[in-house]
Amino acid sequence: MTPEDAQAHIAASDPRFALTEAVIGGVRYPVFANAPAHLRVLLEDAAPAYGDRDALVYQDERWSHAELCREVRRVANALADDLGVRQGDPVAIAMRNYPELPILILAVAALGAVAVPMNAWWSEQELAYGLTDCGARVVFADGPRHQRIERLAADNGLALIAVRDAEALPGRPRYEQLRDGGRDDRWPDVTIAPDDDFAVLYSSGSTGNPKGVVLTHRGAISAVYSWIMARLMAPLVADPPPPLPEPDKVQPPSFLVVTPLFHVTALQSNFLQGLASGATLTLMYKWDPEEAVRLIKRERITRFTGVPTQSAELMDTARALGESLDTLEAIGGGGAKRPAAQVGQLAEAFPAAAIASGWGMTETNALGILIGGPDYVAHPEAAGRPTPPLQEMRIVDGDGKEVATGEIGELTVKSAANMRCYLNQPEATADTVRDGWLYTGDLARIDEEGLIYIVDRKKSIIIRGGENIACLEVEGALHRHPDVAEAGVFPIPDERLGEIVGAGVQLKPGARVDEAGLQAFLADHLAAFKIPDRLWLRSDPLPRGGTDKTDRRALRAQCLAADTEAGAPINEE
């Protein structure tokens, strides 16, 4: 079938994917007519549909779909009864990939409140910014995050709740005390509309501080059901069609979650999609390729999605251990572009798995562009094609006019999955979303086959192993040091992480700080992954462009050239 025929066939034969239209924020969009109205319904539907099948696995702990649903209900009621959380209230969650993180997100959503999962690598200063910006009065945190937030909680009267290895503050209950408080486990009596907010996720933009991206229930569910539909379409459009699996060899879906659940790749495309598909979701607290191989074998994992570094390390470790990992049916990528050479290597190493990649944004609930299987092997540089059936995409020039095939312009997306707004930033929202179209800041082109290629970024963003880093934020932290006159931050190509952070720094006369001293200073102001891996210190001014702004491209070229002349070449693009 053609993609259009496959889409029409599935929409006509499966009521879940029937389409209608809805007006959202004054703009008309195609939407799924019969999708769950909100995330609580998605969870309610999963429990009876998948019975006692494991839904969530963490180390030696397991929750069936029914048990997960029951814990979510109890925590939702505790949020309301013990902590006074009401519909629309923000609730912050600061932790690594513990099972309490997704359970809390679902419980907050079930109450009609707004979950704010915070970047677990943020410094105390960054956490303070996020908590102040979102206005949360209740915060759940594991040990390291709890320690960073304690002073802020005391000064601002926040209800800081200890999770796992955190030591509870006097008079504050722990998570398990709230969960086990003996309340009935009926769903909270609230009415949730499809376009109510369900979460705020923070994403580094081109400005100094992260932006809070406000996402709705309909937006998240639109993304989830689009991915499920794309999976159903794949065998219908394959040429030749894949052989039907033998009934006794069909594996139940089982996903390994290796990226942080405070990002859309793990939360939306893995966890929420997995719930809707009846998958078993196995969480990793932190990435360890040998542990990943062990879990894939033990849990019979069918789907692995990680940043390119992780899939490369999984491949190398499996080879070193002599493991075929033949339960894997799909190896996806997200967060950063996979090196083209890695695509064929993965396909050779895991012949039974479809190698795939995607492009998406926090602002789109991770929905966007997909490519996989032979198409990806044949076009490893491509981002792929728009995920059906809700999205429209255009590549436009500076005047908003669509460019011709093959020409480069800015990628724009119109979809019910798009964010509602940036929190507390109406000007940034108006600049990014115009008449329903989200201007992504990514420069792209489309070829004659309909494949989209992401070629550059308009915004000053570094993507280090899947983590977005705003150049201006790092520059702002460098300028806090008394010996720094000026700083310019830029990406350096890196074989393992894709990009790492570099900075050229003009020091003031008489300055005595060195590279290690500046990096140590930055540790008090930035998450570790944002601290420049390389610093070039200089006494002369940084190069400037025609508008008198720092010319990052010229600065980067100067710094890399200086290394080459000194006999320490950098992996230049």
Side-chain angles (χ1 to χ4, degrees), residues 63 71-72 74-75 78 95 99-104 107 140-141 161-164 168 172-181:
W63 290 256
E71 183 161 336
V72 167
R74 300 183 80 170
V75 173
M95 65 187 71
E100 288 84 354
L101 200 166
I103 290 170
L104 279 162
F140 289 82
I161 310 301
V163 179
R164 293 280 167 167
R172 294 293 184 196
R174 296 184 56 82
Y175 169 86
E176 57 268 23
Q177 292 173 305
L178 291 169
R179 178 196 62 199
D180 300 335

Coordinates of all heavy atoms in Angstrom, one line a residue, residues 63 71-72 74-75 78 95 99-104 107 140-141 161-164 168 172-181:
W63 N 5.3 -3.9 39.0 CA 3.9 -3.5 39.0 C 3.2 -4.0 37.8 O 3.6 -3.8 36.7 CB 3.8 -2.0 39.0 CG 4.2 -1.2 40.2 CD1 3.5 -0.6 41.2 CD2 5.6 -0.9 40.5 NE1 4.3 0.0 42.1 CE2 5.6 -0.1 41.7 CE3 6.8 -1.1 39.9 CZ2 6.7 0.4 42.3 CZ3 8.0 -0.7 40.5 CH2 7.9 0.1 41.7
E71 N -1.8 2.2 42.4 CA -0.9 3.1 43.1 C -1.1 4.6 42.7 O -1.1 5.5 43.5 CB 0.5 2.7 43.0 CG 1.5 3.6 43.7 CD 2.8 2.9 44.0 OE1 2.9 1.7 44.0 OE2 3.8 3.7 44.2
V72 N -1.3 4.7 41.4 CA -1.6 6.1 40.9 C -2.8 6.7 41.5 O -2.8 7.9 41.9 CB -1.7 6.1 39.3 CG1 -2.3 7.4 38.8 CG2 -0.4 5.8 38.7
R74 N -4.1 6.0 44.5 CA -3.9 6.3 45.9 C -3.0 7.5 46.1 O -3.2 8.3 47.0 CB -3.2 5.1 46.6 CG -4.1 3.8 46.5 CD -3.5 2.6 47.2 NE -3.7 2.7 48.6 CZ -3.4 1.8 49.5 NH1 -3.0 0.6 49.0 NH2 -3.7 1.9 50.8
V75 N -2.0 7.6 45.2 CA -1.1 8.8 45.3 C -1.8 10.1 44.9 O -1.7 11.1 45.5 CB 0.2 8.6 44.4 CG1 1.0 9.9 44.4 CG2 1.0 7.5 45.0
A78 N -3.8 11.1 47.9 CA -2.9 11.6 48.9 C -2.5 13.1 48.6 O -2.4 13.9 49.5 CB -1.8 10.7 49.1
M95 N 14.1 14.0 40.3 CA 14.8 12.8 40.6 C 15.2 12.1 39.3 O 14.8 12.5 38.2 CB 13.8 11.8 41.4 CG 12.6 11.3 40.6 SD 11.4 10.4 41.6 CE 10.8 11.7 42.7
P99 N 11.0 4.6 39.8 CA 9.6 4.4 39.4 C 8.6 5.4 39.9 O 7.5 5.6 39.3 CB 9.2 3.0 39.9 CG 10.3 2.6 40.9 CD 11.5 3.4 40.5
E100 N 9.0 6.0 41.0 CA 8.1 7.1 41.6 C 7.9 8.3 40.6 O 6.9 8.9 40.7 CB 8.6 7.6 42.9 CG 8.5 6.6 44.1 CD 9.6 5.6 44.2 OE1 10.5 5.6 43.2 OE2 9.6 4.9 45.1
L101 N 8.9 8.5 39.7 CA 8.8 9.6 38.8 C 7.6 9.5 37.9 O 6.7 10.3 37.9 CB 10.1 9.8 38.1 CG 10.4 11.2 37.4 CD1 11.9 11.2 37.0 CD2 9.5 11.5 36.2
P102 N 7.5 8.4 37.1 CA 6.3 8.3 36.2 C 5.0 8.1 37.0 O 3.9 8.5 36.6 CB 6.6 7.1 35.3 CG 7.6 6.3 36.1 CD 8.4 7.3 36.8
I103 N 5.1 7.4 38.2 CA 3.9 7.2 38.9 C 3.3 8.6 39.4 O 2.1 8.9 39.3 CB 4.1 6.3 40.2 CG1 4.3 4.9 39.7 CG2 3.0 6.3 41.1 CD1 4.8 3.9 40.7
L104 N 4.2 9.4 39.9 CA 3.8 10.8 40.3 C 3.3 11.6 39.1 O 2.3 12.3 39.3 CB 5.0 11.5 40.9 CG 5.3 11.1 42.4 CD1 6.7 11.5 42.8 CD2 4.2 11.8 43.3
A107 N -0.2 10.4 38.6 CA -1.0 10.7 39.7 C -1.4 12.2 39.6 O -2.6 12.6 39.9 CB -0.4 10.4 41.0
F140 N 8.6 16.7 45.1 CA 9.1 15.4 45.4 C 10.5 15.3 44.9 O 10.8 15.6 43.7 CB 8.2 14.3 44.7 CG 6.8 14.2 45.3 CD1 5.8 15.1 45.0 CD2 6.5 13.2 46.3 CE1 4.5 15.0 45.5 CE2 5.3 13.1 46.8 CZ 4.3 14.0 46.5
A141 N 11.4 14.8 45.7 CA 12.8 14.7 45.3 C 13.5 13.5 45.9 O 13.2 13.1 47.0 CB 13.5 16.0 45.7
I161 N 9.0 16.7 49.7 CA 8.7 15.3 50.1 C 9.8 14.4 49.6 O 10.2 14.4 48.5 CB 7.3 14.8 49.4 CG1 6.2 15.8 49.6 CG2 7.0 13.4 49.9 CD1 5.9 16.1 51.1
A162 N 10.3 13.6 50.6 CA 11.5 12.7 50.3 C 11.0 11.4 49.6 O 10.0 10.8 49.9 CB 12.1 12.3 51.6
V163 N 11.9 11.0 48.6 CA 11.6 9.8 47.8 C 12.9 9.0 47.8 O 14.0 9.6 47.7 CB 11.2 10.2 46.4 CG1 11.1 8.9 45.6 CG2 10.0 11.0 46.3
R164 N 12.8 7.7 48.0 CA 13.9 6.8 47.9 C 15.0 7.1 49.0 O 14.8 7.0 50.1 CB 14.5 6.7 46.5 CG 13.5 6.0 45.5 CD 13.5 4.5 45.6 NE 12.4 3.9 44.9 CZ 12.3 2.6 44.6 NH1 13.2 1.8 45.0 NH2 11.2 2.2 43.9
A168 N 13.9 12.6 55.0 CA 12.7 13.5 55.1 C 13.0 14.6 56.1 O 13.7 14.4 57.1 CB 11.5 12.7 55.6
R172 N 7.5 16.3 57.7 CA 7.1 16.1 56.3 C 7.0 14.6 56.1 O 7.9 13.8 56.5 CB 8.1 16.6 55.3 CG 8.2 18.2 55.3 CD 6.9 18.8 54.7 NE 7.0 20.2 54.6 CZ 6.0 21.0 54.5 NH1 4.7 20.5 54.5 NH2 6.1 22.3 54.4
P173 N 5.9 14.1 55.4 CA 5.8 12.6 55.2 C 6.7 12.3 54.0 O 7.1 13.1 53.2 CB 4.4 12.5 54.8 CG 4.0 13.8 54.1 CD 4.8 14.9 54.9
R174 N 7.1 11.0 54.0 CA 7.8 10.4 52.9 C 6.8 10.0 51.8 O 5.6 9.8 52.1 CB 8.7 9.2 53.3 CG 9.8 9.6 54.3 CD 10.6 8.3 54.6 NE 11.2 7.8 53.4 CZ 12.2 8.2 52.7 NH1 12.9 9.3 53.2 NH2 12.6 7.7 51.6
Y175 N 7.3 9.7 50.6 CA 6.4 9.3 49.5 C 5.6 8.0 49.9 O 4.4 8.0 49.7 CB 7.2 9.0 48.3 CG 6.4 8.3 47.2 CD1 5.7 9.0 46.3 CD2 6.4 6.9 47.1 CE1 4.9 8.4 45.3 CE2 5.7 6.3 46.1 CZ 4.9 7.0 45.2 OH 4.2 6.4 44.2
E176 N 6.3 7.0 50.5 CA 5.6 5.8 50.8 C 4.6 6.0 51.9 O 3.6 5.2 51.9 CB 6.6 4.7 51.2 CG 7.5 5.0 52.3 CD 8.8 5.7 51.8 OE1 8.8 6.2 50.7 OE2 9.8 5.6 52.6
Q177 N 4.8 6.9 52.8 CA 3.7 7.2 53.8 C 2.5 7.8 53.2 O 1.4 7.4 53.6 CB 4.3 8.2 54.9 CG 5.4 7.6 55.7 CD 6.0 8.6 56.6 OE1 6.5 9.6 56.2 NE2 6.0 8.3 57.9
L178 N 2.7 8.7 52.2 CA 1.5 9.2 51.4 C 0.8 8.1 50.7 O -0.4 7.9 50.7 CB 2.0 10.3 50.5 CG 2.5 11.6 51.1 CD1 3.1 12.4 50.0 CD2 1.3 12.4 51.7
R179 N 1.6 7.3 50.0 CA 1.0 6.2 49.2 C 0.2 5.2 50.0 O -0.8 4.7 49.6 CB 2.2 5.5 48.5 CG 1.7 4.3 47.6 CD 2.9 3.4 47.3 NE 3.5 2.9 48.5 CZ 4.8 2.4 48.5 NH1 5.6 2.4 47.4 NH2 5.3 1.9 49.6
D180 N 0.8 4.9 51.2 CA 0.2 3.8 52.0 C -0.7 4.3 53.1 O -1.0 3.6 54.1 CB 1.3 3.0 52.7 CG 2.2 2.3 51.6 OD1 1.8 2.1 50.5 OD2 3.4 2.0 52.0
G181 N -1.2 5.5 53.0 CA -2.0 6.2 54.0 C -3.4 5.6 54.3 O -4.1 6.1 55.1

